Amino acid sequence: PFGILYINRDITQRKEAENELIKAKEKAEESEERLFAYINSIPDIICYKDGTGKWLLANESDLKLFCLQGVDYFGKTDLELSEYTHEIFKPSFMDCMDSDEVAWKKKSISNGIETIITPSGEKKVYDVSKTPLFYPNGDRKGLAVIGRDISKLYETQEKLILAKEKAEESDRLKTSFLHNISHEIRTPMNAIVGFSEFLREPTIQPAKASQFADIIIQSSNQLLSIITDIISIATIEAGQEKVIESEIELNATLKHLHAQFLINATKQNLTLNLSPFPTEKENWIISDETKLLQILTNLIVNALKFTKAGSVSFGYRIQEQELLFSVEDTGIGIPSEMHEEIFKRFRQVESTITRQFGGSGLGLSISKAYVELLGGKMWLESELGKGSKFYFSIPFIKGEKVMLFGNKFQKDPAFETCEPKTLLIAEDEESNFSLLEAFLEDSNMAIVKAFNGLEAVEICKSTQKIDLVLMDIKMPVMDGFEATKQIKILRPDLKVIAQTAYSEDVDKDKAFSAGCIDFICKPIKRELLLSKIKEHLGITQ
């Protein structure tokens, strides 16, 4: 019989080795899973490419950024991957390839800022670090890319840079404004002081004296206009400007403005046109007359200033529920890049020391602010060398009054009184009192002077002959507010007119609260003063 041959081979070591390999593979897979879990938990974008630029690994943040989720990216280049996602990413992939090459050539860590526009239009900014790896022989092995989203930081930095630039621009404009305003104030002051000294010469001829007086008046009005602009812009900036509505006879207002500026236009050999009015039925409106006049005045003054030949035209028309005003000139025009700039504070088309035209650079910004306060808007049409046309609209609120065209601005004849009256003038400034006295020189009114509020109260207490009080507000010992209160206690029927350099609504309200019947602002116009005195004394013509 044949026997049975048994052959046994000990494979214990092989099995152990296989088990070790299995364990190592499982461990490697576990480590790879952990690695992927780790890099996918990082908000930074992470990508690893081989030496030829093919993607070998990318985390979820990177895939999400480029809308590559679900795409088999392994072994594809940036250019190839750009075909698998939105076309808007193609420039970013191309830029990425360029910055990869920079890192390879640098042979060390390369840092840079990369901007990526997403399909939603959002701009993402990344601080990217690229680390190249090489084989021992110097061949390219791989490129590790890490990018951190710094969009918010970058946006903050851009805002800070923009804020810094705006602050520097504002500082430059204000410095330019201060230099300009210093020149604008000193110029009329020089004329006022200089020609005033000439008037003191005993040998001066009447014709020369009259000429110098005209120059002084013109320079004073110029100075007053500058100061008014500065006060107005400060009030607007502080948010204290208020709208005071009243009924306005619009056609008469525009006709008055035409007459006011016609003399200057004629001197410049310019035609000043007032457009025909739409209808006299809409003659009365409700708005802030002071602000409306200031807006139109600023625009007409500018038009005359910047027009050397031709014409200036202004007017209005009714457009649905709005009044649309326009001021047009044939002047130098405004370049398109300055159409928005000229409405900004302290901004002028000319800002150098060699500029041809004067002015504070506040008129248009004040006008635009006033238009907006009135519930409207302002804009312009202009081309350099072809003139300008400014428009502004305000709500059309119809008034109730009906009056013949132009009656509003008819002046009173020379001041006369039916019987002697006594006027108490409370004024601490000698020059101001002398001016008021000169205004009333042709009347037969008796004038009593008080140097301060307390003296005004004592005079009213000691005599019943006072028929009207012209009360300065700012005085020593006792101010006009307190003096008026005490006078009204003594003589409730005695009328008091406040006269002051303060022109804000709060000062007017305070004067009326103290008991004043009326309010007049300095510099005082003779016609206005006489009109108010006649009104409150009940003097008829």
Side-chain angles (χ1 to χ4, degrees):
F2 293 97
I4 298 174
L5 177 65
Y6 290 95
I7 300 175
N8 293 321
R9 182 177 292 175
D10 188 354
I11 58 171
T12 303
Q13 291 183 349
R14 190 178 75 182
K15 284 293 184 182
E16 289 177 353
E18 287 178 353
N19 289 335
E20 288 295 326
L21 286 172
I22 292 170
K23 288 180 180 179
K25 183 180 178 183
E26 290 174 349
K27 192 172 184 180
E29 289 175 349
E30 184 180 347
S31 297
E32 187 177 348
E33 288 176 1
R34 288 178 179 175
L35 175 63
F36 269 98
Y38 174 71
I39 65 172
N40 284 330
S41 68
I42 296 175
D44 297 341
I45 59 172
I46 297 175
C47 178
Y48 184 78
K49 306 173 184 179
D50 68 12
T52 62
K54 294 177 180 178
W55 285 36
L56 302 181
L57 179 146
N59 70 344
E60 285 297 318
S61 296
D62 197 8
L63 298 175
K64 185 177 179 181
L65 172 64
F66 289 105
C67 300
L68 289 172
Q69 292 147 306
V71 174
D72 182 11
Y73 63 81
F74 191 85
K76 295 180 176 66
T77 64
D78 289 320
L79 188 58
E80 290 170 335
L81 286 171
S82 68
E83 302 298 329
Y84 287 83
T85 185
H86 197 284
E87 61 181 7
I88 199 170
F89 290 118
K90 192 160 188 175
S92 298
F93 278 117
M94 300 300 289
D95 291 341
C96 188
M97 291 170 65
D98 292 340
S99 59
D100 285 355
E101 194 61 30
V102 171
W104 284 119
K105 289 181 178 179
K106 189 178 179 182
K107 294 186 177 182
S108 62
I109 298 175
S110 176
N111 296 302
I113 302 297
E114 294 189 9
T115 302
I116 299 167
I117 307 299
T118 67
S120 64
E122 183 183 7
K123 183 172 76 171
K124 306 286 286 184
V125 182
Y126 284 84
D127 183 7
V128 181
S129 175
K130 298 189 175 185
T131 305
L133 303 173
F134 297 88
Y135 288 109
N137 64 358
D139 290 342
R140 297 177 179 183
K141 180 179 181 182
L143 186 68
V145 181
I146 299 176
R148 173 154 295 178
D149 187 351
I150 59 167
S151 301
K152 290 184 179 179
L153 176 62
Y154 196 76
E155 183 181 351
T156 302
Q157 287 178 338
E158 283 187 326
K159 287 180 179 179
L160 287 173
I161 292 170
L162 184 61
K164 179 175 178 290
E165 289 173 350
K166 284 185 176 179
E168 290 173 347
E169 173 70 0
S170 176
D171 185 60
R172 186 188 68 78
L173 288 173
K174 286 180 180 178
T175 300
S176 175
F177 166 75
L178 290 174
H179 289 161
N180 176 35
I181 212 68
S182 175
H183 172 270
E184 292 296 323
I185 290 174
R186 289 175 184 273
T187 298
M189 278 300 298
N190 182 60
I192 293 167
V193 173
F195 285 108
S196 295
E197 290 179 354
F198 272 119
L199 292 178
R200 297 177 63 187
E201 296 291 334
T203 58
I204 189 170
Q205 297 297 316
K208 279 287 185 184
S210 178
Q211 179 188 352
F212 293 167
D214 287 343
I215 295 173
I216 291 170
I217 292 170
Q218 182 182 0
S219 299
S220 299
N221 288 333
Q222 182 183 345
L223 181 61
L224 177 62
S225 176
I226 294 166
I227 293 170
T228 301
D229 279 353
I230 295 172
I231 293 171
S232 296
I233 205 69
T235 308
I236 292 168
E237 292 279 8
Q240 295 179 349
E241 196 66 46
K242 295 179 181 178
V243 174
I244 302 175
E245 292 184 336
S246 63
E247 289 194 335
I248 307 168
E249 190 185 1
L250 188 56
N251 294 350
T253 299
L254 266 64
K255 192 172 183 182
H256 172 71
L257 282 173
H258 182 264
Q260 178 183 338
F261 288 105
L262 186 59
I263 297 173
N264 289 340
T266 303
K267 286 180 180 178
Q268 295 177 229
N269 294 318
L270 298 175
T271 302
L272 183 63
N273 300 313
L274 176 58
S275 301
F277 302 123
T279 171
E280 290 193 18
K281 291 182 179 179
E282 318 297 346
N283 196 15
W284 285 89
I285 66 164
I286 296 175
S287 190
D288 188 318
E289 184 173 21
T290 301
K291 289 179 177 58
L292 181 58
L293 280 170
Q294 187 65 54
I295 296 162
L296 288 166
T297 296
N298 286 345
L299 294 177
I300 295 170
V301 166
N302 273 358
L304 292 172
K305 182 195 299 184
F306 295 106
T307 303
K308 294 299 182 183
S311 65
V312 172
S313 304
F314 68 99
Y316 77 98
R317 68 176 185 267
I318 300 170
Q319 187 171 284
E320 296 179 354
Q321 294 303 309
E322 288 186 330
L323 293 170
L324 180 61
F325 293 84
S326 64
V327 178
E328 183 177 5
D329 64 66
T330 58
I332 61 175
I334 301 167
S336 58
E337 66 271 15
M338 294 297 294
H339 284 194
E340 295 295 328
E341 295 296 313
I342 59 171
F343 290 112
K344 295 179 180 178
R345 311 285 194 264
F346 317 120
R347 176 71 77 174
Q348 292 176 300
V349 175
E350 285 190 309
S351 58
T352 65
I353 197 170
T354 57
R355 65 197 187 99
Q356 302 177 52
F357 305 98
S360 64
L362 295 175
L364 285 176
S365 57
I366 291 170
S367 297
K368 188 172 186 290
Y370 279 174
V371 168
E372 290 170 354
L373 276 173
L374 296 177
K377 60 182 179 179
M378 177 177 281
W379 68 98
L380 79 151
E381 295 173 357
S382 183
E383 188 176 340
L384 196 60
K386 295 186 179 180
S388 303
K389 191 167 186 178
F390 283 82
Y391 297 92
F392 71 91
S393 63
I394 61 172
F396 174 39
I397 306 174
K398 194 173 183 296
E400 298 297 328
K401 291 184 180 179
V402 177
M403 183 178 286
L404 291 177
F405 184 88
N407 282 355
K408 186 178 181 183
F409 290 100
Q410 288 182 352
K411 294 183 178 179
D412 290 328
F415 184 88
E416 292 179 359
T417 56
C418 298
E419 59 183 54
K421 300 287 184 180
T422 301
L423 174 66
L424 170 61
I425 300 178
E427 174 62 71
D428 63 311
E429 290 287 344
E430 190 65 41
S431 59
N432 288 337
F433 177 79
S434 297
L435 178 63
L436 294 171
E437 197 174 32
F439 282 166
L440 299 167
E441 187 176 1
D442 294 334
S443 73
N444 61 351
M445 292 188 70
I447 297 176
V448 178
K449 181 178 180 181
F451 287 93
N452 57 63
L454 181 59
E455 189 173 337
V457 173
E458 293 299 325
I459 291 172
C460 290
K461 185 188 295 185
S462 62
T463 178
Q464 294 293 312
K465 293 182 179 180
I466 304 301
D467 297 299
L468 184 67
V469 179
L470 191 59
M471 180 72 71
D472 187 30
I473 295 300
K474 187 177 181 295
M475 290 187 295
V477 184
M478 181 185 291
D479 65 37
F481 295 128
E482 183 59 33
T484 300
K485 289 177 183 178
Q486 295 196 22
I487 288 172
K488 296 300 287 186
I489 293 172
L490 295 169
R491 295 184 56 182
D493 296 332
L494 181 58
K495 294 180 178 179
V496 180
I497 300 175
Q499 52 123 356
T500 176
Y502 299 125
S503 61
E504 301 304 320
D505 295 336
V506 64
D507 300 302
K508 294 179 182 179
D509 293 341
K510 194 172 179 181
F512 290 134
S513 297
C516 294
I517 192 69
D518 211 335
F519 189 99
I520 188 168
C521 294
K522 296 177 182 178
I524 296 172
K525 297 292 184 182
R526 182 173 183 271
E527 292 79 6
L528 180 61
L529 173 66
L530 298 181
S531 174
K532 287 183 180 294
I533 290 175
K534 290 178 68 177
E535 176 189 348
H536 296 300
L537 286 178
I539 298 173
T540 58
Q541 302 179 18

